[in-house]
Amino acid sequence: MSALSSVPRLATRPFRRAGSTRPRKYRSAVVMSALPKITYFNGVGRVFGLRVAMFKAFGKDGWIDERLQFPEFKERKPTLPLGYLPVLSIDEEIFTQTEPMVRWAARISGLYPIDLKEAMRVDEVCAVAHEVLYKCPFDADEEVKKAKRLEYAESRMLQNMSYVDSKLAGSSNGFLLPGGISMADLQLYMVVHMIRTGNFDHIEPEYVDRFPNICKNAAAVEADPLIAEYRANYPN
């Protein structure tokens, strides 16, 4: 079975660009006149799940993965709706805010469940994963920033990570949902990957080891055929 068709419970109908004669292999709830485009930096950052969902929905050549270097971003910044990335272009309309982009891509790719209670579970874990990043303290003084983050790691971040770990405690497959990988798993993996690769400043890579169910979830994501197929086509 192809990784592009491995996730059940799809809530959408086939994707087809306007005027296209290509087979309806990928799935979407809309007809588009142009390829959808994600614009972000050339790194995993906060869009891993978004890129995976776009790949699952549209394949390698059915969407545009625009990756900017920082000098390019500085030039483009005045033209961005709110001055930051990522942005998603759909039929030349530009959208901001990662969470609605992620939910849209999850729906069209089958990474978002039909069942309302399961959808609530996915939304909850996605929101907590985002909060771990958004609530993370910053400071221009690196030593102050370090102190704040170490305190954060033992307070709000610990509370959030522990809560998600508890939500995964009853999983038989490592994923949040019994049907397999969903956007919740991808968003949680994004946080885990940032920590383990040293891209979460002043949070030790071993921090994740405190949460055994999150570790099992990350292993399940890495072993999923969709992720293997994505990584065969994209650098990160």
Side-chain angles (χ1 to χ4, degrees):
M1 178 183 294
S2 168
L4 296 177
S5 60
S6 62
V7 179
R9 312 180 70 82
L10 186 68
T12 55
R13 56 181 192 268
F15 163 77
R16 198 174 194 177
R17 284 172 53 203
S20 172
T21 58
R22 66 184 290 184
R24 295 191 175 196
K25 180 179 180 180
Y26 307 114
R27 295 162 170 175
S28 171
V30 295
V31 174
M32 301 180 193
S33 60
L35 296 180
K37 179 172 70 174
I38 295 292
T39 302
Y40 192 63
F41 301 107
N42 186 28
V44 177
R46 303 184 180 198
V47 298
F48 176 74
L50 181 56
R51 284 175 174 154
V52 170
M54 295 292 282
F55 171 68
K56 185 177 187 299
F58 305 115
K60 180 67 171 65
D61 302 315
W63 64 291
I64 299 171
D65 180 26
E66 183 180 33
R67 301 184 180 217
L68 303 182
Q69 300 299 325
F70 192 72
E72 295 175 286
F73 165 68
K74 289 181 68 176
E75 291 180 5
R76 191 88 65 88
K77 184 178 173 69
T79 70
L80 299 173
L82 297 177
Y84 52 73
L85 298 174
V87 294
L88 169 64
S89 301
I90 304 174
D91 287 336
E92 300 184 359
E93 183 174 358
I94 298 177
F95 298 89
T96 69
Q97 305 300 324
T98 304
E99 292 183 58
M101 293 183 211
V102 162
R103 191 173 295 111
W104 176 83
R107 284 172 173 160
I108 63 175
S109 63
L111 291 166
Y112 192 88
I114 298 172
D115 181 85
L116 294 180
K117 191 172 183 180
E118 287 194 343
M120 178 70 81
R121 291 185 180 124
V122 169
D123 285 342
E124 180 186 38
V125 170
C126 286
V128 174
H130 289 155
E131 185 174 281
V132 168
L133 300 181
Y134 298 153
K135 297 289 186 180
C136 186
F138 289 86
D139 198 280
D141 185 304
E142 196 62 30
E143 288 304 312
V144 174
K145 173 182 170 182
K146 179 178 180 180
K148 286 183 176 181
R149 290 204 173 185
L150 292 177
E151 190 278 332
Y152 175 67
E154 300 303 323
S155 55
R156 186 58 176 268
M157 183 175 181
L158 178 61
Q159 180 183 32
N160 285 0
M161 296 289 281
S162 297
Y163 179 70
V164 172
D165 196 70
S166 72
K167 300 292 284 190
L168 294 165
S171 174
S172 61
N173 59 6
F175 298 115
L176 178 67
L177 302 181
I181 193 169
S182 71
M183 183 55 74
D185 307 299
L186 295 177
Q187 294 303 95
L188 181 59
Y189 179 79
M190 168 190 67
V191 175
V192 171
H193 185 269
M194 288 180 70
I195 296 171
R196 284 180 168 172
T197 56
N199 290 305
F200 205 122
D201 293 351
H202 307 301
I203 305 296
E204 293 296 321
E206 295 77 18
Y207 181 80
V208 178
D209 296 340
R210 300 186 187 188
F211 313 103
N213 298 313
I214 289 178
C215 290
K216 291 176 184 177
N217 178 264
V221 170
E222 291 178 343
D224 193 86
L226 172 61
I227 303 307
E229 194 167 350
Y230 171 82
R231 285 179 166 162
N233 286 279
Y234 294 91
N236 51 49

